[in-house]
Amino acid sequence: MSKGLADILKDYLPKDKTFDILHLQNSPVEVRPIVTVEAQDNTDNDLSDVTIKILHFFSLAYNKKFVFGMEIHVYIILKKAENISNIDYSTADRLLFVSKADTNGYCDVKFSAKQITKGLIRYLFSINPSHYLKKVIPLERKYPKSNLHKLITKETKLDDALHILAERCNESSTTKEMRYQSTLSEPYYNSYKTPSDITSKLCLFTRPADQYLFAESSKNPKKHTLSGAGLLKWWLSIIDELLCELFMEDSIGKLRIPGEEPLTIRRYLKTTKFKNWMVGDIFGGTANSLAIFSIPLFSDDPKSRFLHELVEENRVLTTNLSTFWMELQERQEFKLSETVSVIGISGHTIIPNFLNVTNKDTMITLSKKEYKYIKNYITGEEYNSEEGALESYENVTNYLAYKFNTELLSVIGGMTPRVKTQRVVETQPVVSILQPRKKAKT
Ligand code: ACO
């Protein structure tokens, strides 16, 4: 039997401690390409790539309190090889964009945010990509005319919508779920065959903040935050381990620190174990390429905000990648914080058996609205006191029980604590090696 979320996560949680996990996923939805495509006169829309976006939100609870959260956006980009005329896509990218990770400091036992982050990313890379491709909400739905009298769409006029609602009230035996199944069944979704050649990628932007997902949690003196350089090293170590454990040898890891010389960036890479780490990014293009045609647009991402600014300033078609990275570090939001970086990896994974997502593991919401609604029970709370962590847990568990007759996934940790003496042995040589080197340079 293939592993599930709990089987994977238990190896990253402290031994014999019981945690609860909320894992939300929205329905896969087709979106516009994340990298702006250069307009070509003869572009045949049917032959272009298909980009599918899926949101994942994880929150970990201990002792009836949510204590850790992470949001990751998954993009599946289906690509058609040139001169292939059938409808199948021959290759695909599976790109994970880590949007936000945060803690609130209210956990009653010591757990490693680093380990749980690693475990969750491993889980996402282990999901069978076909899970995302069976039922995809198209970019635009073409509703058959025969069904329009039953559906309320963006085009439905107000009085027609009221009529439809009144009719639905009369059909008291039809639940929302049944109506959803009958009216929005297969013809309204796209489905795709899973390409055999899938390149797995991960990218993220490291920028420390007092809080991201748990508002006001910075007021908890027990919350532990990392400096810019600390956060960079923290992520680098997680991603380096994932590269070693999950990726083929010819995969690549890239690190860019806007405004920093390659020499300085290479210093961060000295401690990595995977051999293919380089200075740069996974977005492609050369220094002279236009940034707009290389940099992907992610939601709530400083790089995307800067690209939008370039559009407003009418400079987007003259700004090349070299200028883009140079000017990016001058932006106010960068100046205010410490070291920030862009980390990316790309390659083929060596996961022998992809896992299939089950209802027990994952709560797949019917709409983005529902996804946001449930997530908001956690992110909409205030965490200046422990009450926020307790309230959000209470609200989420009540909602899941009442609305879906379900509960959070329970996981008993199986990770043995690190032996202290090992750490001393590990850290001592680093200190003794680094000190003489510093002296030699001055
Ligand atoms: N006191 C002292 N040391 C502590 C404490 C504490 N209270 N808690 C953890 N540590 C130590 C750990 O022992 C560990 O040390 P080690 O590396 O020597 O083993 C180190 O700090 C890291 O501990 P973790 O449990 O792995 O991570 P942490 O608890 O610091 O959580 C996180 C990391 C989530 C980034 C946290 O710092 C945080 O919430 N920051 C605020 C939000 C933020 O900046 N998020 C990242 C944004 S970037 C992005 O999301 C893409």
Side-chain angles (χ1 to χ4, degrees):
M1 216 173 71
S2 79
K3 281 184 164 193
L5 178 59
D7 302 299
I8 292 191
L9 280 193
K10 71 176 183 359
D11 296 337
Y12 299 90
L13 290 169
K15 195 162 173 54
D16 299 332
K17 305 291 177 201
T18 307
F19 285 79
D20 294 322
I21 312 272
L22 170 73
H23 174 206
L24 284 180
Q25 187 215 293
N26 76 334
S27 299
V29 56
E30 274 176 37
V31 292
R32 308 225 170 264
I34 49 172
V35 179
T36 310
V37 187
E38 254 176 292
Q40 276 164 5
D41 295 343
N42 57 352
T43 306
D44 180 346
N45 275 341
D46 289 340
L47 287 178
S48 54
D49 298 349
V50 171
T51 307
I52 297 158
K53 182 177 179 182
I54 308 101
L55 306 172
H56 286 268
F57 177 75
F58 299 93
S59 198
L60 182 76
Y62 184 78
N63 238 353
K64 299 187 187 302
K65 286 178 280 185
F66 279 114
V67 291
F68 170 88
M70 178 154 71
E71 183 154 40
I72 297 187
H73 303 172
V74 175
Y75 293 87
I76 305 283
I77 302 159
L78 300 170
K79 299 172 177 193
K80 201 168 254 181
E82 269 171 41
N83 66 39
I84 287 191
S85 55
N86 66 28
I87 51 157
D88 291 340
Y89 291 85
S90 53
T91 59
D93 283 350
R94 176 214 298 250
L95 168 66
L96 268 57
F97 169 67
V98 185
S99 170
K100 291 174 187 103
D102 201 1
T103 51
N104 58 30
Y106 294 116
C107 193
D108 300 326
V109 289
K110 190 166 165 41
F111 77 101
S112 165
K114 183 190 256 184
Q115 290 305 320
I116 190 79
T117 301
K118 190 178 149 193
L120 292 173
I121 297 177
R122 173 185 279 262
Y123 167 73
L124 288 180
F125 274 130
S126 307
I127 290 177
N128 191 335
S130 67
H131 163 68
Y132 298 124
L133 300 175
K134 288 179 204 144
K135 207 172 171 188
V136 182
I137 300 172
L139 208 51
E140 242 177 88
R141 275 206 170 115
K142 294 189 175 60
Y143 299 101
K145 286 219 166 75
S146 57
N147 251 347
L148 274 181
H149 67 283
K150 284 189 199 162
L151 292 172
I152 300 174
T153 69
K154 283 177 198 153
E155 279 81 38
T156 313
K157 288 189 192 129
L158 178 64
D159 32 347
D160 291 342
L162 290 172
H163 258 110
I164 294 169
L165 288 175
E167 267 174 33
R168 284 185 190 173
C169 280
N170 292 336
E171 298 167 18
S172 53
S173 59
T174 319
T175 64
K176 187 181 164 198
E177 177 67 17
M178 282 156 73
R179 197 166 40 247
Y180 181 82
Q181 294 304 340
S182 68
T183 54
L184 292 185
S185 56
E186 302 316 322
Y188 303 104
Y189 290 91
N190 287 340
S191 74
Y192 298 96
K193 236 171 104 178
T194 312
S196 52
D197 183 3
I198 297 184
T199 305
S200 292
K201 298 181 176 186
L202 177 130
C203 93
L204 60 94
F205 188 82
T206 72
R207 185 171 53 132
D210 291 341
Q211 60 215 11
Y212 274 116
L213 295 165
F214 299 109
E216 306 287 314
S217 59
S218 58
K219 295 195 175 137
N220 176 10
K222 287 188 182 157
K223 172 167 175 161
H224 185 246
T225 54
L226 296 164
S227 65
L231 186 68
L232 194 171
K233 288 181 198 156
W234 188 82
W235 272 113
L236 203 56
S237 129
I238 294 172
I239 296 170
D240 185 45
E241 284 176 23
L242 286 167
L243 269 174
C244 293
E245 293 165 19
L246 296 186
F247 280 73
M248 286 174 71
E249 270 184 21
D250 60 353
S251 306
I252 49 162
K254 297 266 189 122
L255 171 67
R256 184 182 284 286
I257 306 177
E260 277 301 356
E261 293 296 325
L263 196 72
T264 317
I265 304 174
R266 265 183 221 113
R267 274 192 209 133
Y268 283 97
L269 297 176
K270 271 189 184 154
T271 51
T272 52
K273 293 182 224 97
F274 192 73
K275 66 174 173 45
N276 272 348
W277 275 102
M278 285 166 254
V279 174
D281 57 70
I282 58 164
F283 308 135
T286 62
N288 288 328
S289 317
L290 285 181
I292 185 73
F293 300 131
S294 295
I295 306 286
L297 292 165
F298 298 120
S299 34
D300 200 13
D301 176 32
K303 296 189 301 314
S304 310
R305 279 195 286 277
F306 183 39
L307 277 179
H308 285 299
E309 221 169 77
L310 288 175
V311 173
E312 277 162 28
E313 291 168 12
N314 224 358
R315 291 199 296 133
V316 79
L317 290 176
T318 51
T319 307
N320 65 22
L321 279 171
S322 148
T323 317
F324 177 86
W325 290 115
M326 213 161 59
E327 285 193 20
L328 187 70
Q329 49 119 4
E330 286 298 312
R331 277 174 60 87
Q332 195 63 9
E333 60 182 317
F334 279 54
K335 279 185 168 171
L336 288 175
S337 83
E338 310 163 64
T339 308
V340 296
S341 74
V342 181
I343 308 179
I345 59 175
S346 173
H348 289 93
T349 56
I350 44 169
I351 296 161
N353 295 311
F354 280 135
L355 59 86
N356 292 315
V357 173
T358 63
N359 289 347
K360 219 175 124 212
D361 280 356
T362 310
M363 154 119 228
I364 302 177
T365 59
L366 295 179
S367 64
K368 192 170 168 192
K369 199 169 159 196
E370 189 172 54
Y371 172 93
K372 280 188 174 169
Y373 188 85
I374 303 174
K375 186 182 124 184
N376 202 41
Y377 274 125
I378 296 173
T379 54
E381 199 60 63
E382 288 187 353
Y383 294 84
N384 49 347
S385 77
E386 201 168 31
E387 218 180 311
L390 286 161
E391 284 271 311
S392 54
Y393 182 89
E394 186 75 9
N395 287 336
V396 167
T397 46
N398 282 345
Y399 185 81
L400 294 188
Y402 167 72
K403 197 83 199 275
F404 303 101
N405 194 20
T406 182
E407 50 191 24
L408 297 172
L409 177 71
S410 193
V411 189
I412 302 173
M415 187 175 71
T416 21
R418 252 186 333 183
V419 185
K420 275 256 159 145
T421 49
Q422 276 182 346
R423 254 183 83 184
V424 178
V425 174
E426 266 170 29
T427 50
Q428 265 176 349
V430 177
V431 174
S432 61
I433 290 166
L434 282 177
Q435 275 174 346
R437 271 195 196 169
K438 269 189 185 165
K439 273 185 189 162
K441 273 181 198 151
T442 50

